[in-house]
Amino acid sequence: RFVHSLGVFGNALTVYEHLAGRAKDHNLVVPGLRFDDFSAIDFCIAALCHDLGHTAFSHVLEGNFLPNGCNTHEECTIQLLSGDSMIADAIDNAADKEAVISLMEKHHPNQALNDLISGVFDVDRCDYVLRDSYMSGVEYGQFDLKWLIRGLNIELNPSGRPILLLDGPRGMDALRQFLSARRYMHRQVYFHRGVRSIQVLFQSIFERARHL
């Protein structure tokens, strides 16, 4: 989980630097919409901390060990950042904590950054598909991340807010490659009968332990 979070942070930094260059033509001046150093810090910290609410063994134990009022690890992450905790204080000292939370909740005024934290091909999925493919020793999850990032562009919606687009056939081919890789990983690894059976056993073991 730690190395994955560092990978997501690295993806966020690379994508942000690319989009900041693409956004110069739009002369964005409104705070929160600009691709400046402040937004870069908020975005990269949101990417780094996106999985703080996870239990051990990924999603397997979410139904067993998340705090009351949290149905998903995303909700638990928001609760950790919104409360009185050392991690919340640390983030507040380094960035705009409310902006970080709004990115995680997809309420940030910059829609392009919202989608890159949680979207079809966000910085999280772009890391774990490649990482899981490598760590499990299969080739199904390989795709050209550099080419996908290169195909990203910024446009403005009718209200003048940045949105994420792909540059024509070049970007669409890279996106198709990513979506295929993710589908193959789900079919061949994440939903493999051996993986699923171990998950059921883990859930039963920890549910029994909690009961005792």
Side-chain angles (χ1 to χ4, degrees):
R1 184 63 57 190
F2 177 67
V3 293
H4 163 61
S5 295
L6 292 180
V8 177
F9 174 83
N11 284 347
L13 188 59
T14 300
V15 170
Y16 193 93
E17 290 175 348
H18 170 75
L19 292 181
R22 292 296 186 97
K24 289 180 179 179
D25 294 338
H26 298 293
N27 297 317
L28 295 165
V29 296
V30 178
L33 300 184
R34 292 184 307 219
F35 285 79
D36 55 20
D37 292 343
F38 298 105
S39 292
I41 293 172
D42 298 338
F43 174 67
C44 289
I45 287 181
L48 179 66
C49 299
H50 75 287
D51 271 351
L52 283 177
H54 251 306
T55 61
F57 306 109
S58 193
H59 297 268
V60 178
L61 302 180
E62 284 195 4
N64 302 73
F65 286 104
L66 288 180
N68 291 333
C70 294
N71 296 315
T72 65
H73 73 275
E74 291 91 352
E75 293 178 6
C76 188
T77 300
I78 298 300
Q79 192 174 102
L80 284 169
L81 298 186
S82 301
D84 183 14
S85 64
M86 291 179 64
I87 186 66
D89 292 341
I91 291 174
D92 205 22
N93 290 333
D96 182 346
K97 187 177 73 172
E98 297 307 315
V100 172
I101 293 173
S102 69
L103 283 164
M104 293 181 175
E105 294 180 327
K106 302 198 69 170
H107 296 156
H108 195 275
N110 191 325
Q111 185 59 46
L113 298 185
N114 287 334
D115 290 340
L116 286 168
I117 293 295
S118 179
V120 174
F121 56 101
D122 54 44
V123 290
D124 174 30
R125 292 175 177 177
C126 284
D127 180 81
Y128 77 65
V129 170
L130 288 173
R131 188 175 302 279
D132 292 347
S133 174
Y134 174 78
M135 296 299 290
S136 58
V138 301
E139 299 293 332
Y140 305 112
Q142 297 300 307
F143 65 95
D144 193 339
L145 176 58
K146 291 181 180 179
W147 195 248
L148 179 59
I149 292 174
R150 188 175 177 180
L152 294 178
N153 203 354
I154 289 293
E155 290 294 339
L156 302 183
N157 66 11
S159 62
R161 296 188 176 189
I163 57 174
L164 203 60
L165 291 182
L166 283 167
D167 283 338
R170 177 179 65 180
M172 290 306 298
D173 286 343
L175 178 59
R176 289 189 188 99
Q177 188 187 36
F178 163 77
L179 293 174
S180 295
R182 185 166 178 261
R183 185 181 71 223
Y184 297 149
M185 286 297 292
H186 275 86
R187 292 171 65 178
Q188 304 294 339
V189 178
Y190 304 142
F191 292 155
H192 187 277
R193 62 183 183 276
V195 174
R196 300 295 283 176
S197 62
I198 289 294
Q199 289 176 341
V200 171
L201 286 173
F202 263 128
Q203 288 170 338
S204 300
I205 290 169
F206 281 96
E207 182 63 33
R208 179 60 175 163
R210 186 178 69 167
H211 175 73
L212 294 174

